[in-house]
Amino acid sequence: MKNGILLVDKPAGWTSFDVLAKLRGALGTRKLGHSGTLDPMATGVLAVFIGRATAAADRQPDHDKTYEATIRLGLATDTGDITGTVLETAPVTAGESELLAVLPQFTGTLSQLPPMYSAVKVNGQPLYKAAHAGKTVERAPRAITVYAIDYLGSPAKDEYRLRVSCSKGTYIRTLAEDIGKALGLPATLSALRRTRAGAFAIAQAHTLPEILQAAAEGRAEDWVLDVDAAFPSLPALAVSDGVRRHLFNGCPTSRYPAADGRYRVYDGAGRFLGLAVVAGGVLNVEKLFCEREGD
């Protein structure tokens, strides 16, 4: 299996780690990673990084996300979604017009308290472990950004669909609960689908059964994107053979004729080498994603 990125449309009921475990066997490699964990109930784009590409997961310049979420009013659970234990119910006294009136409060830079059922670590311990033990841990609010919220209609009584574009670290479960509080009601998520994760869109993703079938037929590699697909917003830089050797040897190249910044780097044949940074006219390697070939 070549180095690269496989986009999975994660099924409901699977953790992100369940998906990796299944793919390790199907793809015949243990070196897999992912970016942007999805809750078990959530579906949608999960970028799986293969081989040397695993180092690209945390280096992506774009970690923004887009979700389609369904909020159910009149119900609160311990997990913030309908898979949890019900903590509170209440008659629903607000509808579409009230919801539309409060939504503008939830765009821009916000302060959000991470939910107990999350992978956020406090004192080295993931919060969800404390939550499973019935404990509540003191958490610090974190700054997040919600770029836009679009109203998508009401699929059922007391349920409303929203499209949310947001920064990394935004918990849609918490956003749903906070929207409920603004309406004076308990609220929880009844569905969540991620339609974009950084540079990757749901239209590029394949379902897990499709991938497993393709792997069994030896076709899965056809769906693996090249590593540079994670960095489309970075400018491209083609380097000479001499500079390529410098990069592989970890040597800086002085008086390099390019503006300061971060670059996708290619050799003269158009092969993606990795990432480099120009600072003060000096080109330095950040990370290489290919094997060194003979000079």
Side-chain angles (χ1 to χ4, degrees):
M1 181 60 58
K2 71 176 184 180
N3 301 321
I5 304 159
L6 181 61
L7 301 182
V8 182
D9 184 349
K10 189 190 84 65
W14 290 60
T15 68
S16 300
F17 295 106
D18 289 339
V19 173
L20 291 190
K22 190 70 173 178
L23 290 178
R24 283 191 180 101
L27 301 179
T29 178
R30 296 202 56 79
K31 195 169 184 182
L32 298 179
H34 74 277
S35 66
T37 300
L38 282 173
D39 294 335
M41 73 160 286
T43 65
V45 182
L46 181 69
V48 174
F49 294 76
I50 303 168
R52 295 172 72 94
T54 53
D58 294 331
R59 296 177 185 272
Q60 300 172 88
D62 182 3
H63 288 278
D64 293 340
K65 310 290 194 301
T66 300
Y67 297 91
E68 291 182 2
T70 303
I71 298 178
R72 180 178 297 178
L73 300 180
L75 177 70
T77 71
D78 59 348
T79 60
D81 60 48
I82 56 169
T83 67
T85 301
V86 175
L87 300 177
E88 180 186 2
T89 60
V92 177
T93 55
E96 181 179 285
S97 61
E98 291 82 6
L99 175 67
L100 292 174
V102 303
L103 287 183
Q105 301 174 26
F106 296 96
T107 57
T109 300
L110 308 173
S111 179
Q112 190 180 74
L113 191 68
M116 280 300 302
Y117 281 89
S118 70
V120 173
K121 290 185 178 180
V122 175
N123 297 324
Q125 177 93 336
L127 288 173
Y128 67 82
K129 289 191 175 181
H132 285 309
K135 301 175 183 177
T136 299
V137 177
E138 186 174 345
R139 293 148 284 161
R142 303 192 304 180
I144 59 152
T145 302
V146 176
Y147 304 110
I149 301 180
D150 300 310
Y151 178 61
L152 301 179
S154 176
K157 185 176 184 295
D158 300 330
E159 291 197 343
Y160 300 93
R161 290 184 65 232
L162 304 174
R163 181 187 298 115
V164 181
S165 299
C166 56
S167 65
K168 176 183 179 180
T170 301
Y171 284 93
I172 307 300
R173 287 174 288 149
T174 301
L175 184 66
E177 291 175 335
D178 290 344
I179 290 172
K181 289 173 185 174
L183 295 169
L185 292 168
T188 196
L189 279 185
S190 60
L192 183 65
R193 182 163 177 77
R194 187 159 69 195
T195 57
R196 186 176 70 88
F200 307 118
I202 190 64
Q204 299 170 277
H206 304 275
T207 67
L208 196 54
E210 287 174 339
I211 293 169
L212 296 178
Q213 180 66 32
E217 297 171 358
R219 297 182 292 107
E221 194 166 283
D222 295 343
W223 291 341
V224 176
L225 304 177
D226 292 336
V227 187
D228 58 347
F231 310 106
S233 63
L234 297 183
L237 196 66
V239 300
S240 66
D241 287 345
V243 173
R244 179 176 65 85
R245 284 192 291 271
H246 280 188
L247 292 171
F248 276 103
N249 291 326
C251 299
T253 301
S254 301
R255 296 187 295 278
Y256 196 82
D260 285 4
R262 200 168 174 231
Y263 292 88
R264 290 178 286 135
V265 181
Y266 298 83
D267 64 16
R271 183 179 63 139
F272 177 60
L273 303 178
L275 303 178
V277 176
V278 176
V282 179
L283 176 71
N284 275 293
V285 65
E286 178 185 321
K287 180 66 181 178
L288 297 177
F289 293 99
C290 64
E291 300 283 350
R292 179 171 184 164
E293 293 182 353
D295 295 321

